Amino acid sequence: MEPRAVGVSKQDIREQIWDYMESQNLADFPRPVHHRIPNFKGASHAAEQLPRLQAFKTARTIKVNPDAPQKSARFFVLESKKTLLVPTPRLRTGLFNKITPPPGATKDILRKCATSQGVRNYSVPIGLDSRVLVDLVVVGSVAVSEKGWRIGKGEGYADLEYAMMVSMGAISKETPVVTIVHDCQVVDIPEELVEEHDITVDYILTPTRVIATGCKRPKPMGITWFKISREMMEKIPILRSLRAREQQAGKDVTLQGEHQHLSEPGRQQTVPLSVGRRPPDTPRSEANSVEAARGSPPGEGAPLAADVYVGNLPQDARVSDLKRALRELGSMPLRLTWQGPQRRAFLHYPDSATAQQAISCLQGLRLGTDTLRVALARQQRDK
């Protein structure tokens, strides 16, 4: 039975979809699907609908998000000899990478180019001055309605990518948007949950259906600067460049909190932060980190509130296995202390809030057949 979105908030709907997909075993690696765009079973079959769309046939340049369920979509773009643009993860190093397969690439090579590793190995960055024009946008979703309302995983990157493309003139309000999801992700979404900065979609592709939404709601017309925090500006350098350009053009680029006295009294605007995001580099004593990983006694060198214990590692696990899982979850620490013989590791984050977010994201993580134990290192020591 497919779920119906009855929650009163976007997060209610996300949790309902994530819980349902896990309980019905509808997802592939990485698991669990919580806090991510689900890599659902049948994603490649759903993506086979993409080349049949007229919007795809006429497009020359297509932007596809970097998530796992859109791997086949990226392959079909390359196989059709169209230009493939993939956003950089969390926009840390720019906006787009243009995927450039080697000359004479076979289908096997193109499939490698469509993977996350291939995107890193076979790409060149596209700058703000590239004058790129995108003819079709493919995004991932956690939930979507037949009316075209879309809910992502809550970090806002897809909406921000779209707004940035508008601001740099890469897309227009006529540029079609496609999402590829499992049938169970197509649910009722109350229109009152759709905000001004949210992307709407024109086509929904599932393993069994092609839905033309006919959505008439206007798409975002650029970056909503008062929704952008100082912290987000620091994490995304290209935002600073775009803001400077728009400020020079005379646009209002006031950031969140810059004029809080104009806001509704008692109400603080917030931008959702990445769950399990990669923290910024923050210096911390290497000696303290190593002592914390060894479980030093209370006092100097004791486990810090920002250290996370990971236990029950498989006996044959390698540090690369854990790092890969952490990258997939977007939870890479500042440093990682590996203690394979003891079947444990310690992750060192810059502050307790980031550590707690990482713990939430890592709950239920499996390496092989073993479910890992995750807790604050200090709590684990006390036990």
Side-chain angles (χ1 to χ4, degrees):
M1 179 179 177
E2 295 180 5
R4 306 289 288 174
V6 295
V8 296
S9 71
K10 289 181 180 179
Q11 190 61 26
D12 291 331
I13 296 174
R14 290 185 189 104
E15 295 291 344
Q16 183 186 17
I17 296 293
W18 287 330
D19 290 346
Y20 183 83
M21 296 188 78
E22 280 294 329
S23 67
Q24 300 300 311
N25 196 30
L26 296 176
D28 285 326
F29 181 84
R31 300 277 294 272
V33 297
H34 295 78
H35 309 296
R36 67 174 76 251
I37 300 296
N39 186 22
F40 60 95
K41 293 179 179 178
S44 59
H45 183 54
E48 290 175 1
Q49 315 267 25
L50 181 63
R52 300 169 191 162
L53 293 179
Q54 186 62 29
F56 180 93
K57 294 176 181 178
T58 58
R60 291 183 293 179
T61 301
I62 301 177
K63 172 260 175 187
V64 184
N65 72 303
D67 295 312
Q70 273 66 60
K71 180 174 67 175
S72 292
R74 296 191 291 271
F75 166 73
F76 288 130
V77 173
L78 295 174
E79 185 185 40
S80 301
K81 301 188 184 304
K82 300 177 185 291
T83 299
L84 172 62
L85 300 181
V86 179
T88 61
R90 288 179 165 74
L91 304 175
R92 283 190 293 261
T93 58
L95 180 54
F96 291 132
N97 285 320
K98 177 182 176 181
I99 312 306
T100 54
T106 62
K107 281 191 176 184
D108 286 341
I109 294 297
L110 293 180
R111 291 188 189 279
K112 289 181 182 178
C113 292
T115 65
S116 57
Q117 185 64 44
V119 168
R120 290 190 289 268
N121 293 344
Y122 298 97
S123 65
V124 294
I126 298 293
L128 289 178
D129 298 319
S130 61
R131 301 183 184 276
V132 64
L133 294 177
V134 176
D135 304 306
L136 181 65
V137 174
V138 180
V139 297
S141 302
V142 172
V144 65
S145 78
E146 293 189 12
K147 294 181 179 180
W149 316 147
R150 171 191 174 274
I151 295 177
K153 59 187 174 183
E155 296 177 347
Y157 284 105
D159 298 320
L160 185 56
E161 290 162 9
Y162 185 93
M164 291 168 72
M165 287 189 287
V166 172
S167 294
M168 63 188 289
I171 58 175
S172 71
K173 62 182 180 179
E174 308 298 332
T175 307
V177 177
V178 178
T179 192
I180 303 174
V181 295
H182 191 277
D183 287 279
C184 77
Q185 295 174 260
V186 183
V187 296
D188 294 332
I189 298 175
E191 184 173 0
E192 56 267 24
L193 294 183
V194 184
E195 301 177 73
E196 180 184 356
H197 63 272
D198 289 333
I199 313 171
T200 55
V201 303
D202 302 291
Y203 297 96
I204 303 168
L205 309 185
T206 79
T208 65
R209 293 194 289 170
V210 175
I211 303 170
T213 67
C215 185
K216 301 299 183 185
R217 184 185 180 95
K219 292 183 172 65
M221 295 306 296
I223 299 172
T224 308
W225 289 106
F226 69 84
K227 292 277 188 180
I228 305 296
S229 66
R230 283 284 181 187
E231 182 180 5
M232 186 169 282
M233 290 289 292
E234 293 172 2
K235 292 195 301 182
I236 305 175
I238 194 173
L239 263 182
R240 298 198 290 271
S241 301
L242 276 172
R243 187 185 186 219
R245 291 187 178 204
E246 296 203 355
Q247 189 172 32
Q248 191 173 12
K251 296 184 179 181
D252 183 1
V253 293
T254 303
L255 298 180
Q256 177 194 105
E258 283 192 334
H259 297 295
Q260 286 195 347
H261 61 280
L262 297 178
S263 302
E264 181 181 338
R267 180 178 177 181
Q268 183 177 354
Q269 294 175 321
T270 60
V271 173
L273 295 179
S274 161
V275 176
R277 69 192 186 279
R278 182 186 178 101
D281 288 338
T282 303
R284 186 150 61 93
S285 167
E286 184 70 30
N288 284 348
S289 299
V290 173
E291 289 178 359
R294 291 173 178 168
S296 301
E300 186 176 352
L304 302 176
D307 293 337
V308 174
Y309 163 86
V310 178
N312 199 39
L313 291 166
Q315 288 184 343
D316 59 348
R318 296 178 297 178
V319 67
S320 59
D321 298 329
L322 180 58
K323 286 183 176 179
R324 184 182 72 144
L326 292 170
R327 277 195 297 268
E328 292 283 354
L329 289 165
S331 299
M332 284 296 287
L334 293 177
R335 286 181 298 281
L336 185 156
T337 302
W338 179 258
Q339 296 183 351
Q342 289 79 36
R343 300 182 61 189
R344 67 189 182 194
F346 292 85
L347 314 179
H348 311 295
Y349 293 96
D351 52 61
S352 59
T354 307
Q356 290 286 0
Q357 288 178 330
I359 289 171
S360 175
C361 197
L362 296 174
Q363 291 299 327
L365 176 64
R366 291 193 295 266
L367 285 186
T369 60
D370 297 336
T371 300
L372 305 185
R373 289 195 297 270
V374 183
L376 282 175
R378 177 173 292 170
Q379 294 175 350
Q380 182 64 26
R381 181 206 62 189
D382 293 341
K383 290 179 182 179

